Amino acid sequence: MAKQLDYQTLRAVFARFHEAEPEPKGELEHVNAYTLVVAVALSAQATDAGVNKATRELFKVADTPEKMLALGEEGLIEHIKTIGLFRQKAKNVIKLSRILVEEHGGEVPNSRAALVALPGVGRKTANVVLNMWWRHPAQAVDTHIFRVGNRTGIAPGKDVEAVERAIEDHVPADYQLHAHHWLILHGRYICVARKPKCAACHIYEYCRYEDKTA
């Protein structure tokens, strides 16, 4: 675990991220808050590309909780059976759709507590929805962010919640909204797990990763 970068260094790091990509976007395809919840719930232990391939047709016929309930669990399975753990995920999507209809008038709530109460929706999923749809500066820490945060010193922590707190506590406020997207994309395409592409890294000079290569 690298030592936490100081405030001025973090400003420089995120200025570089902003310069490279001023408006980073999540890669999960969705058309509204509900389809975003479903897509993120389906993405657990699966790739965004794999989820997008399955949901493109699904969301044409079920883009609201009411339509998803009408489609039913078996109908949903037909659309998502290429995704890992599809049976349990289908059960969760149907359950959360029913709760949204019965308790929230078919609308997706914009509170973390209400979101994590939905089946199959954990803190990370809730934070993605709060950030991408409601534009809250919530930090959804996945394996990419956990790795990048600890390698570089941007947000070191022993677990995902510690990394989340490190981002919230140390990343400059004006970069908080997009912080998790920059870090996910950096981890997905540059600071990869086995052979990080240090030569292509635009924050190389600030990184505290002991094994980085020129």
Side-chain angles (χ1 to χ4, degrees):
M1 184 188 302
K3 183 180 177 182
Q4 174 71 57
L5 297 176
D6 62 59
Y7 181 80
Q8 291 304 322
T9 303
L10 283 172
R11 284 211 69 86
V13 165
F14 282 92
R16 291 280 180 88
F17 283 138
H18 181 268
E19 182 180 1
E21 182 59 70
E23 287 286 331
K25 304 292 183 184
E27 296 182 324
L28 284 173
E29 297 173 6
H30 59 282
V31 297
N32 54 30
Y34 171 71
T35 55
L36 178 59
V37 171
V38 173
V40 181
L42 293 176
S43 72
Q45 299 178 23
T47 66
D48 288 0
V51 172
N52 289 339
K53 186 175 181 181
T55 58
R56 283 185 194 122
E57 294 303 314
L58 171 64
F59 293 157
K60 289 179 182 178
V61 296
D63 60 355
T64 69
E66 293 86 355
K67 291 178 182 177
M68 190 68 75
L69 292 173
L71 180 64
E73 188 174 321
E74 292 305 315
L76 172 56
I77 285 173
E78 285 302 306
H79 285 278
I80 67 169
K81 59 187 177 182
T82 57
I83 300 174
L85 306 175
F86 66 89
R87 291 193 183 279
Q88 184 57 50
K89 289 177 180 179
K91 291 181 186 297
N92 287 336
V93 169
I94 294 300
K95 288 178 181 177
L96 73 83
S97 299
R98 185 168 292 112
I99 291 172
L100 289 176
V101 170
E102 294 177 353
E103 299 182 16
H104 300 282
E107 299 294 326
V108 174
N110 66 348
S111 86
R112 183 184 286 116
L115 286 167
V116 298
L118 299 172
V121 176
R123 186 179 180 87
K124 185 186 80 171
T125 299
N127 283 351
V128 170
V129 176
L130 290 171
N131 181 277
M132 289 181 64
W133 191 258
W134 302 108
R135 296 185 70 81
H136 293 181
Q139 308 302 329
V141 178
D142 67 353
T143 55
H144 296 301
I145 294 181
F146 185 79
R147 178 175 67 254
V148 172
N150 278 292
R151 269 184 180 173
T152 62
I154 290 173
K158 293 182 178 180
D159 53 41
V160 293
E161 289 195 10
V163 171
E164 180 182 330
R165 287 195 301 273
I167 296 173
E168 292 174 345
D169 291 345
H170 299 288
V171 172
D174 49 329
Y175 292 120
Q176 288 271 339
L177 179 62
H178 295 312
H180 95 272
H181 278 132
W182 282 317
L183 294 173
I184 285 173
L185 295 172
H186 192 63
R188 187 171 287 167
Y189 299 111
I190 302 296
C191 196
V192 295
R194 294 188 178 181
K195 293 183 178 181
K197 301 172 184 177
C198 298
C201 178
H202 44 275
I203 63 165
Y204 179 87
E205 67 197 86
Y206 305 114
C207 175
R208 290 183 169 167
Y209 183 41
E210 293 181 354
D211 296 327
K212 66 183 179 180
T213 57

